[in-house]
Amino acid sequence: MTAIAFIGLGNMGSPMAINLVKAQHQVTVFDLMPDALETLRLAGASVAASAAEAVKGAEVVITMLPAGKHVIGVYLGSNQQAGILDLLDKNTLLIDSSTIDVASVNAVATAAKEKGLSMIDAPVSGGVAAATAGTLTFMCGGSSDAFDRAQAILSAMGKQLFLAGDHGAGQIAKMCNNMLLAIQMAGTAEALQMGVNNGLDPSVLSEIMLKSSGRNWSLEVYNPYPGVMKTAPASNDYKPGFMVDLMAKDLGLAMDNAANSKSSTPLGLLAQSLYLQKQAMGDGKKDFSSVIELMKA
Ligand code: NAD
């Protein structure tokens, strides 16, 4: 049993923290939203009144926050709060599973190292369903020692654990994956809508493409057409899931990286403009599969 502080209990963090409780770890949680704290209290976690209180006595700290500025704020501090780094014992292992920019990872990892603390970036893939089932993929960056220590904890929340390289490498792997996901979801959406515009039943077309060369993750577990897949956000008014705002953020990270690494990513750029358009329409809080709404006549 490990004493774990878990900070950030949103769509992903909440089921991940619940799986740590189920694995008999001693979990103390913090989030800004009282409802999220109540869910974890009912699941058996201890609830803290602040991030600083949550990390008292923690052997491992896990963060699952929206973006780099939130991660920097929690670890290093901001105008609103003091950072938690100063409060941690030397042996504490830090695991950040948020999807964030590499510069923020490096800022926190460097500050942690100066205090004798180990940190890994450990962004995830699989969405809310995999977070709930404990079958996430973790793509990690950091030292192999820190990764080895993290495995016992990560395996309670995921099934595939990869060390991609040093600090930031997990985030690079994640931004490549999510750029591909955005392209694949947009492509799946336009194929389905074109079929429907020509009188095809979206369920039949999905079944055909699933057994053909168009098969992909969006079609398999996250169908964007309403009513085809009961468990998908499309059949629940595009309630997230994975928000348009977060996909737009991830595509921003990927496009910044593409410019810096002189990588040609024309489809990533096109996918980014689709998600920015959804945001401009006021759909930032909808699930990212709602991109299909741009293809409707
Ligand atoms: P979310 O917006 O649902 O949850 C984020 C949580 O962080 C919220 O509950 C918010 O209240 C909390 N928070 C923000 N600032 C805080 C602070 N200072 N202290 C404590 N809590 C704070 O987001 P999510 O969908 O859970 O995603 C989290 C991260 O995981 C993002 O970086 C996202 O890109 C990534 N991700 C999401 C999915 C998905 O399917 N939703 C999949 C893979 C990766």
Side-chain angles (χ1 to χ4, degrees):
M1 187 180 75
T2 303
I4 301 172
F6 200 113
I7 301 168
L9 306 166
N11 290 316
M12 294 295 285
S14 179
M16 289 167 72
I18 288 173
N19 280 330
L20 291 171
V21 174
K22 284 184 185 159
Q24 311 294 325
H25 292 297
Q26 186 194 318
V27 184
T28 305
V29 297
F30 177 66
D31 193 286
L32 301 174
M33 309 299 284
D35 286 358
L37 293 172
E38 182 58 11
T39 302
L40 264 291
R41 191 186 64 76
L42 293 173
S46 304
V47 167
S50 64
E53 191 185 305
V55 302
K56 264 186 210 155
E59 297 163 85
V60 174
V61 175
I62 303 177
T63 40
M64 191 53 167
L65 298 162
K69 63 179 179 186
H70 306 98
V71 174
I72 296 268
V74 165
Y75 285 104
L76 307 185
S78 65
N79 292 339
Q80 288 87 39
Q81 61 190 340
I84 59 172
L85 273 195
D86 288 334
L87 309 170
L88 302 173
D89 292 337
K90 284 253 175 315
N91 279 332
T92 314
L93 173 65
L94 315 181
I95 301 174
D96 178 44
S97 281
S98 327
T99 304
I100 64 170
D101 57 292
V102 175
S104 296
V105 173
N106 287 335
V108 178
T110 304
K113 198 169 177 187
E114 279 165 9
K115 294 186 186 300
L117 299 162
S118 301
M119 170 157 198
I120 59 167
D121 44 302
V124 302
S125 180
V128 174
T132 306
T135 58
L136 289 166
T137 297
F138 282 90
M139 28 200 123
C140 305
S143 72
S144 50
D145 281 357
F147 177 65
D148 289 346
R149 275 183 70 197
Q151 290 200 41
I153 306 299
L154 300 182
S155 59
M157 302 179 284
K159 287 285 164 277
Q160 299 82 25
L161 316 178
F162 294 101
L163 181 61
D166 207 346
H167 293 300
Q171 295 296 348
I172 303 282
K174 174 67 182 169
M175 74 179 72
C176 293
N177 180 76
N178 273 27
M179 182 177 75
L180 178 57
L181 172 62
I183 294 165
Q184 175 210 88
M185 177 58 84
T188 301
E190 68 183 28
L192 282 170
Q193 190 60 49
M194 187 168 85
V196 169
N197 294 349
N198 283 278
L200 265 57
D201 178 330
S203 299
V204 173
L205 178 58
S206 296
E207 220 175 299
I208 292 170
M209 293 196 293
L210 272 172
K211 296 279 182 250
S212 306
S213 43
R215 178 178 191 157
N216 67 73
W217 184 89
S218 298
L219 204 52
E220 206 168 0
V221 302
Y222 217 95
N223 196 300
Y225 205 93
V228 173
M229 199 172 274
K230 264 198 200 133
T231 51
S235 300
N236 193 16
D237 289 329
Y238 295 106
K239 185 172 173 288
F242 182 44
M243 284 183 274
V244 164
D245 279 344
L246 291 177
M247 183 52 102
K249 171 205 58 156
D250 290 358
L251 287 165
L253 297 177
M255 292 307 102
D256 285 350
N257 184 278
N260 291 335
S261 60
K262 299 187 173 56
S263 305
S264 170
T265 54
L267 297 180
L269 196 58
L270 192 52
Q272 183 191 33
S273 64
L274 291 173
Y275 281 98
L276 291 176
Q277 197 180 334
K278 284 295 280 176
Q279 273 187 317
M281 290 162 67
D283 290 344
K285 304 291 175 230
K286 284 189 179 180
D287 186 78
F288 84 114
S289 57
S290 67
V291 72
I292 197 171
E293 291 172 338
L294 293 177
M295 287 97 189
K296 287 194 193 283

